Amino acid sequence: MTTRAISYDRVSTVGQGATDLRTHALRAFAAEHGLDLIEECVDKAVSGGVPLAERPGGALALSAARSAKATVLIAPTLDRLFRDTLDGLRCMREEFPALGLRVILTDESLDLSTAEGQFFAIQRLAFAEYERHKAGERTLRNTRALQKAGRAYGHTPYGCIRHGDALYREPNTWAQRERIVSQCATHSLRDVSADVRRAQIPAPNGGEVWSTSTIREIVKTHNRLALLPLAPGASAANGATHSTPTREAVASFEAGHA
């Protein structure tokens, strides 16, 4: 009897070339090992920090395994599945065993259903987490130095636009930000995330997926960002002004945002 299988891949950008190559490689692996590939799941422009079950392709893969009774999931490498240690551990210890799902990393010759496979996977996830924390510490040191110089730094928050060292509210995306914050007052983060996806509102990274962590960050920073003026040339609404924030004001805002 042929073993039913699902393939999964994730790309951080919308580029197609690498995805096509890995898709062909996964198909070749399935054929070589006698696997009946019943579903090919791909997430595009989705961060690996988003839990697997919250990505469209990841959710489809898990659903297909559940409904079609597939017993094998193949993916190129560990970082295509996870970049978050807790999510990786939860899936390997709870989600995959509950589905009776054997997970094979084709490019790394690892079977995550085995003790050896999980041992190496956990080590690598822990090291990746360590590297992210070290990068965060370096970023914090740099941003503090920029604060002292009165300069804006880091990514531009969703709903805002940057002109030089100054941050402003951008009318179009700011309206979406306000919608999200308003909905979070009465709905769960997961429900709001699903709603903005259905409305086909592009996520801050340009993709389709709104993670709950992104929604949470928007709510967390909204009150401080609301103190910023509208972008120069934007239509004023509700008495908003277009005054240009001083370097000191920008540094003060960013200090609170850190």
Side-chain angles (χ1 to χ4, degrees):
M1 182 177 178
T2 305
T3 301
R4 289 186 165 191
I6 299 161
S7 67
Y8 176 82
D9 192 15
R10 177 188 63 80
V11 288
S12 301
T13 66
V14 295
Q16 189 65 32
T19 307
D20 289 341
L21 289 174
R22 290 203 295 261
T23 296
H24 289 309
L26 290 170
R27 289 174 183 170
F29 180 92
E32 181 182 350
H33 292 80
L35 301 175
D36 179 14
L37 205 55
I38 62 172
E39 192 79 60
E40 294 179 324
C41 305
V42 178
D43 277 314
K44 297 181 180 179
V46 179
S47 168
V50 176
L52 181 65
E54 293 184 17
R55 308 173 208 160
L60 176 61
L62 296 175
S63 176
R66 190 176 296 109
S67 61
K69 295 184 171 31
T71 57
V72 175
L73 185 148
I74 58 176
T77 57
L78 184 66
D79 65 356
R80 298 304 90 196
L81 279 172
F82 313 113
R83 280 191 177 276
D84 179 85
T85 304
L86 291 180
D87 185 48
L89 289 174
R90 186 191 63 78
C91 285
M92 286 190 291
R93 294 181 176 178
E94 299 175 12
E95 190 85 43
F96 298 155
L99 292 172
L101 198 59
R102 179 185 175 196
V103 180
I104 300 173
L105 305 179
T106 60
D107 290 3
E108 299 170 329
S109 300
L110 278 182
D111 185 338
L112 299 188
S113 65
T114 67
E116 181 182 45
Q118 289 196 18
F119 172 75
F120 284 110
I122 290 170
Q123 282 189 319
R124 290 174 55 191
L125 285 169
F127 183 75
E129 187 101 346
Y130 166 77
E131 284 295 310
R132 284 197 296 275
H133 284 305
K134 293 298 290 183
E137 290 175 357
R138 290 192 294 270
T139 299
L140 182 58
R141 287 195 297 269
N142 291 337
T143 54
R144 284 175 175 168
L146 289 171
Q147 286 173 15
K148 291 180 180 179
R151 295 169 55 194
Y153 65 89
H155 75 283
T156 301
Y158 182 72
C160 298
I161 191 171
R162 178 174 296 186
H163 291 292
D165 287 342
L167 290 172
Y168 300 88
R169 285 179 291 143
E170 195 283 312
N172 295 324
T173 50
W174 185 263
Q176 302 299 347
R177 170 183 268 273
E178 289 189 321
R179 164 183 171 161
I180 290 169
V181 172
S182 176
Q183 287 181 321
C184 285
T186 54
H187 296 78
S188 70
L189 295 175
R190 192 178 296 271
D191 287 343
V192 175
S193 173
D195 179 74
V196 289
R197 290 181 199 174
R198 285 193 297 268
Q200 297 183 338
I201 299 170
N205 67 357
E208 300 176 358
V209 176
W210 285 82
S211 67
T212 53
S213 59
T214 297
I215 302 292
R216 184 183 297 110
E217 182 66 14
I218 284 175
V219 174
K220 177 183 175 181
T221 60
H222 188 70
N223 288 340
R224 291 197 300 272
L225 287 169
L227 299 175
L228 295 172
L230 284 174
S235 299
N238 301 322
T241 64
H242 296 169
S243 60
T244 301
T246 63
R247 286 176 176 264
E248 290 74 15
V250 172
S252 176
F253 164 76
E254 295 287 3
H257 185 58

